Amino acid sequence: MDNISSSLRKPAVPVDGRGNYLSSGLTVSNMGACYPGDETLLLPGNHSINNVIFPGSISYSDNRVKQEEPSYTGCGERMDPMFLSYSQANGVPQESKLATYMNRQNTSTPTSNVSQSITKNLAGLTLDTPVSLKKVTPQAPEFVPAAGGGGTTGNTATRSGSPDFLNSFTGMPGSGGPQATFGGRRRSTESPVPVSPQLTPQPSPPLNNCSPTSALDKTPITPVSTYQENVGGTTYFYPTTVAVAAAASAGDAAGLNSSGLSTGSPVVPSIVLPSFHMYPGTPTHLATIKGKPPSSGGFYVANEIRMEALHRNALVLVQPDPEQFPDLPSEIDNYHELCPLKPVPSNPMHKSQLLGYPMSTYKATNTKTGVRYCLRRVHGFRLPNTKCMGLVDMWKRLQHSNIVQLREVFTTKAFGDYSMIFVYDYHPGSETLLMKHFSPSEPLNGYADPFSADPTAPRPYSHQKNALLRQQHGGGSGMLPEGVIWNYIIQLTSALRVIHAAGLACRTLDPTKILLTGRSRLRLSSLAISDVLTFDSTSPNPLQLMPHFQQEDLTALGKVILALACRSLMAVQRENMQTSLDLVSRTYSNDLRNVIMYLLTNQQQQQHRSVTDLMPMIGARFYTQLDAIQIRSDVLENEVSKEMENGRLCRLLVKLGTVNERPELSLDPTWAETGDRYMLKLFRDYVFHQVTEDGRPWLDMSHVVQCLNKLDAGAPEKVCLMSRDEQSILVVSYAELKQCLEQSFEEILSAAAKPDQIV
Ligand SMILES: Nc1ncnc2c1ncn2[C@@H]1O[C@H](COP(=O)(O)OP(=O)(O)OP(=O)(O)O)[C@@H](O)[C@H]1O
């Protein structure tokens, strides 16, 4: 038994770093599988002699259908008697958990009248059997476990008699033939005696009613043709009918041809799909891309993306220090948890330079939905009437990836004055273009604002002109790369395009109101505020001035681009304009200069300008931008697919953890230790508590991930579980384990829903 236990506790199958079986070239003996010395042993179901690639899959080759779960009928004819000859009165050692469970269930396991000795069983064995391929007798339906369904059938069948998990033996080595001979329910927990490594293929006995499952549930037994093959002494059986039928129907459904291509006509497919889900690793097109965030490798999201997300999430949850903000109202309208987004000005009546009113910005939580928003408060503004709400509604309807969406506008006296509140989407971690590119505190990479000798004390441009020109000749190391500027131009014109097309104007196109989130996403913010604050209720048409404001938007855009290109806000002052344009001409392409010239000079010539006129100037740079966005999207999709799998496993672990070791359920203190739960406990040991032969913990993430994935998918593959007292060995399919888990969790759920039934 020691031999068995040590080998069982080892990983049954070698796996690679990603949890894939190293199936190629795998031999039974190197698996160290269940029974040392016995080569006709339980192989995990993803192995066939033809190098099955996908775990738990069905492979088709040489016109033979190979069931992913090798059958061991010939072996079983030896093995079940071994179990029986060593079995206890009820087939299991009485001190084992298994016996406890069986006794508790008042199960009467049929005793076998078979007393074949191991010697007798081995009598039919010969050495050096050549590889053979021949048709053998049909197997029981459970011989071909159906993915996800095996557990259901098995559990149902045995509930009236034997423990659920005993069904698992129907698929273990020896199912089929031994079932018929020995009632199919006998489970010895004693160590089998090592036998010859090479066996003569044994014909399977006829089915009849050998399967308790079929006998109990009266399911008609589907005749299954089975091919038998002996390779190096290992006998493999490949049922064909079920597998072919299933594969054919799958192929029909998919309309795939032998190349896996759609033909519209049903053909036998040659593709093989895994029976469970798993992250397959970084796709090649993402492994080498430029600018790709450094991957943490393995199964987790890349570090950089994770840090960004963590930072954003933390910002969403920050709360103000109540001592520093004692005057914050606890609630305004439908919002609470107000948190200022900018320092409180020393002069509370400090006015926004752009909007002309004192303004504050807060993060706040909607009391009904819990969603965070950005609230812009205009201090001391009293709305004369509600006519402007028509414009507000137009803004609320405007959705675009480059604008901060307006959600609602209302007035409040919660701050002790008449305040107007504009509610926008909250984009955590945003900073303004001013802070990003024009802030004196930002390291300028050796570059100083050419229009300012001291960044904190801007001086007239003329004082610095020569220094500026010298610096630009010297390489302009602090200038923004032209690609960044074009990126911004594309985003800003994209936003302006939809705003103007909606008959509106931005009116706040300024570095203080353009938000930058993440690496390069720009959004226009504070939209609609100007329209409300300057609304003329006497005007018959509130949209009358929009064309004029739209022209102003284009001028403002030209100024922003010029300021970015010169990396100075002073560059756009009228007296500095010519020098700034010279600087742009020297540093950047003609196209960039032309865009700026179009936006800034045509205004003086009173020509009508349109944002769409900029599109030809941007030209093929759209494609560059599109390419960058799509690559980014690919990277993020890959990260999502990893985390999707992790989320799935997390939910599964929650279920397992909820069931495992539960002290009691519905006043039953043995609940977690009996029945299906007992099997889940052993499975938990199998997944997490494996030890090496010398007793050290054996840790392999890929083993854990793979086991959980197979459990989640209910793979038909079998797994050997051993009781902690090493007296019981259970062979169950993941499908059965999944069924057990679902049922056990359901029990907990229904117990949780009925508090009156629990004292
Ligand atoms: N929708 C938003 N989501 C997240 N953060 C925002 C949002 N709008 C503004 N912010 C942040 O709030 C801070 C203050 O913004 P605000 O526009 O009030 O700045 P400001 O330069 O002080 O403007 P003003 O001088 O007009 O008052 C900025 O750091 C900005 O990044």
Side-chain angles (χ1 to χ4, degrees):
M1 195 62 211
D2 284 346
N3 285 341
I4 298 172
S5 63
S6 61
S7 48
L8 276 175
R9 283 174 176 234
K10 283 189 298 185
V13 181
V15 287
D16 67 12
R18 297 204 175 279
N20 296 317
Y21 281 138
L22 303 175
S23 58
S24 178
L26 183 78
T27 63
V28 178
S29 54
N30 72 13
M31 289 172 56
C34 314
Y35 310 100
D38 187 345
E39 291 201 349
T40 50
L41 297 177
L42 178 67
L43 276 171
N46 55 334
H47 295 284
S48 79
I49 54 172
N50 278 13
N51 293 341
V52 174
I53 303 302
F54 295 100
S57 59
I58 297 172
S59 164
Y60 302 88
S61 71
D62 297 332
N63 297 324
R64 283 171 289 162
V65 176
K66 294 186 177 175
Q67 188 197 352
E68 54 84 28
E69 184 71 36
S71 166
Y72 300 92
T73 307
C75 166
E77 283 188 321
R78 294 179 292 104
M79 293 179 65
D80 263 10
M82 281 191 277
F83 286 131
L84 290 168
S85 56
Y86 285 88
S87 66
Q88 309 291 317
N90 62 356
V92 295
Q94 292 308 298
E95 67 278 17
S96 71
K97 294 278 188 183
L98 176 57
T100 311
Y101 169 69
M102 293 169 70
N103 293 335
R104 187 171 169 277
Q105 299 286 324
N106 205 14
T107 303
S108 57
T109 307
T111 49
S112 169
N113 55 3
V114 176
S115 57
Q116 290 165 288
S117 68
I118 296 169
T119 315
K120 186 178 173 186
N121 278 293
L122 297 179
L125 304 182
T126 60
L127 297 176
D128 303 327
T129 307
V131 172
S132 60
L133 182 68
K134 63 181 182 179
K135 199 165 184 181
V136 296
T137 50
Q139 304 297 300
E142 60 195 3
F143 178 79
V144 186
T152 311
T153 311
N155 287 337
T156 310
T158 51
R159 197 133 281 147
S160 59
S162 55
D164 301 351
F165 49 75
L166 292 185
N167 276 326
S168 59
F169 285 92
T170 58
M172 71 177 295
S175 65
Q179 266 175 246
T181 310
F182 308 118
R185 302 292 90 186
R186 298 316 312 263
R187 312 295 169 240
S188 169
T189 56
E190 296 297 327
S191 172
V193 175
V195 292
S196 163
Q198 290 191 314
L199 303 172
T200 302
Q202 301 295 313
S204 298
L207 270 177
N208 301 330
N209 284 330
C210 63
S211 163
T213 302
S214 58
L216 285 171
D217 64 9
K218 306 292 183 216
T219 306
I221 296 170
T222 311
V224 182
S225 301
T226 308
Y227 285 100
Q228 174 181 333
E229 187 170 358
N230 187 295
V231 177
T234 303
T235 309
Y236 298 88
F237 294 88
Y238 306 110
T240 54
T241 308
V242 172
V244 168
S249 65
D252 289 354
L256 301 169
N257 67 10
S258 57
S259 314
L261 300 173
S262 177
T263 60
S265 57
V267 289
V268 177
S270 64
I271 59 165
V272 182
L273 292 171
S275 63
F276 57 89
H277 308 287
M278 196 174 84
Y279 175 66
T282 308
T284 49
H285 68 284
L286 294 181
T288 52
I289 57 168
K290 211 176 141 193
K292 178 178 171 283
S295 174
S296 60
F299 300 103
Y300 302 107
V301 72
N303 225 11
E304 187 186 331
I305 296 173
R306 189 171 59 88
M307 296 307 287
E308 279 174 20
L310 283 175
H311 180 60
R312 277 198 305 271
N313 293 348
L315 288 175
V316 170
L317 298 174
V318 291
Q319 291 298 319
D321 179 354
E323 286 182 11
Q324 284 200 22
F325 302 98
D327 300 330
L328 275 181
S330 60
E331 191 167 323
I332 56 166
D333 206 67
N334 286 329
Y335 300 88
H336 68 148
E337 295 180 342
L338 265 65
C339 179
L341 286 178
K342 61 179 182 183
V344 180
S346 48
N347 172 12
M349 292 318 288
H350 171 81
K351 294 181 180 174
S352 161
Q353 282 190 349
L354 191 67
L355 297 162
Y357 279 86
M359 295 187 64
S360 304
T361 311
Y362 307 91
K363 172 178 78 76
T365 307
N366 187 296
T367 42
K368 290 178 185 161
T369 62
V371 176
R372 272 75 181 190
Y373 291 93
C374 173
L375 270 50
R376 285 188 180 268
R377 170 189 167 210
V378 183
H379 301 227
F381 180 81
R382 215 170 163 171
L383 196 64
N385 56 56
T386 56
K387 284 185 185 171
C388 66
M389 285 305 159
L391 274 176
V392 167
D393 286 340
M394 288 175 75
W395 279 112
K396 279 163 60 177
R397 281 195 295 271
L398 205 66
Q399 283 192 355
H400 191 267
S401 57
N402 294 115
I403 68 173
V404 180
Q405 174 93 38
L406 176 70
R407 294 297 170 181
E408 63 171 322
V409 179
F410 60 88
T411 54
T412 181
K413 289 198 271 185
F415 293 95
D417 66 350
Y418 287 98
S419 285
M420 187 103 199
I421 306 291
F422 292 80
V423 182
Y424 296 93
D425 284 351
Y426 173 61
H427 297 283
S430 300
E431 54 183 342
T432 62
L433 265 197
L434 181 76
M435 294 157 71
K436 176 71 181 174
H437 294 303
F438 304 101
S439 161
S441 59
E442 191 206 358
L444 286 179
N445 194 21
Y447 175 81
D449 181 350
F451 300 94
S452 170
D454 173 3
T456 56
R459 297 177 64 190
Y461 163 70
S462 55
H463 292 192
Q464 296 294 320
K465 183 159 44 174
N466 293 337
L468 164 75
L469 295 177
R470 274 199 308 275
Q471 180 147 3
Q472 296 317 310
H473 279 301
S477 60
M479 307 292 273
L480 287 176
E482 185 165 340
V484 171
I485 299 177
W486 282 112
N487 178 356
Y488 289 173
I489 291 173
I490 290 170
Q491 295 187 61
L492 295 175
T493 53
S494 182
L496 276 189
R497 191 173 147 270
V498 293
I499 291 171
H500 291 182
L504 295 165
C506 171
R507 304 182 67 186
T508 48
L509 194 66
D510 184 88
T512 62
K513 295 289 170 275
I514 299 172
L515 294 187
L516 178 70
T517 317
R519 290 181 194 177
S520 60
R521 170 64 69 83
L522 291 191
R523 288 186 181 89
L524 300 182
S525 76
S526 302
L527 300 173
I529 296 182
S530 292
D531 289 337
V532 173
L533 299 188
T534 62
F535 189 78
D536 180 5
S537 54
T538 59
S539 167
N541 179 10
L543 297 176
Q544 195 175 11
L545 286 174
M546 283 303 165
H548 168 72
F549 294 141
Q550 289 173 358
Q551 292 299 305
E552 285 190 347
D553 280 350
L554 294 174
T555 304
L557 176 64
K559 288 181 177 174
V560 168
I561 299 170
L562 183 60
L564 283 168
C566 295
R567 208 63 193 279
S568 169
L569 293 178
M570 296 177 74
V572 300
Q573 290 177 357
R574 185 180 293 273
E575 65 272 22
N576 298 334
M577 196 74 81
Q578 191 53 50
T579 309
S580 303
L581 288 171
D582 288 346
L583 171 60
V584 171
S585 303
R586 286 192 195 92
T587 314
Y588 298 107
S589 66
N590 276 344
D591 283 349
L592 187 62
R593 186 175 191 278
N594 290 342
V595 167
I596 297 170
M597 292 289 285
Y598 172 83
L599 291 170
L600 293 182
T601 56
N602 285 357
Q603 151 212 25
Q604 284 137 21
Q605 295 160 12
Q606 297 299 310
Q607 285 180 6
H608 176 81
R609 295 160 295 159
S610 164
V611 68
T612 52
D613 292 343
L614 296 174
M615 293 170 74
M617 300 185 201
I618 296 168
R621 293 177 187 90
F622 272 116
Y623 296 118
T624 312
Q625 179 80 348
L626 188 64
D627 182 47
I629 291 171
Q630 291 186 151
I631 288 176
R632 178 77 179 157
S633 157
D634 284 350
V635 169
L636 293 180
E637 246 176 49
N638 184 45
E639 300 304 320
V640 167
S641 77
K642 282 188 214 171
E643 289 306 317
M644 179 194 73
E645 301 294 0
N646 289 342
R648 189 171 50 74
L649 292 186
C650 174
R651 287 193 293 277
L652 190 66
L653 285 172
V654 167
K655 279 187 179 178
L656 257 183
T658 310
V659 172
N660 283 153
E661 308 284 356
R662 198 169 189 85
E664 68 167 43
L665 185 74
S666 304
L667 296 179
D668 180 0
T670 63
W671 184 81
E673 293 287 326
T674 52
D676 291 351
R677 283 78 54 192
Y678 179 58
M679 196 154 62
L680 293 172
K681 175 182 166 176
L682 298 191
F683 178 69
R684 191 263 316 267
D685 283 352
Y686 173 79
V687 176
F688 298 105
H689 300 158
Q690 302 233 13
V691 293
T692 58
E693 285 189 23
D694 55 352
R696 287 176 295 119
W698 182 79
L699 303 175
D700 186 340
M701 184 72 169
S702 60
H703 165 73
V704 172
V705 168
Q706 190 170 66
C707 288
L708 292 176
N709 281 335
K710 289 177 180 176
L711 174 67
D712 189 38
E717 182 181 329
K718 297 287 192 294
V719 57
C720 265
L721 307 177
M722 189 172 64
S723 63
R724 287 183 175 179
D725 59 12
E726 303 185 351
Q727 297 302 302
S728 309
I729 298 169
L730 312 177
V731 182
V732 292
S733 69
Y734 285 97
E736 288 166 311
L737 286 166
K738 178 179 180 172
Q739 173 74 9
C740 291
L741 182 59
E742 295 299 334
Q743 279 186 349
S744 304
F745 192 70
E746 274 297 320
E747 275 184 55
I748 295 175
L749 279 182
S750 40
K754 298 173 190 164
D756 50 317
Q757 292 190 4
I758 301 170
V759 182

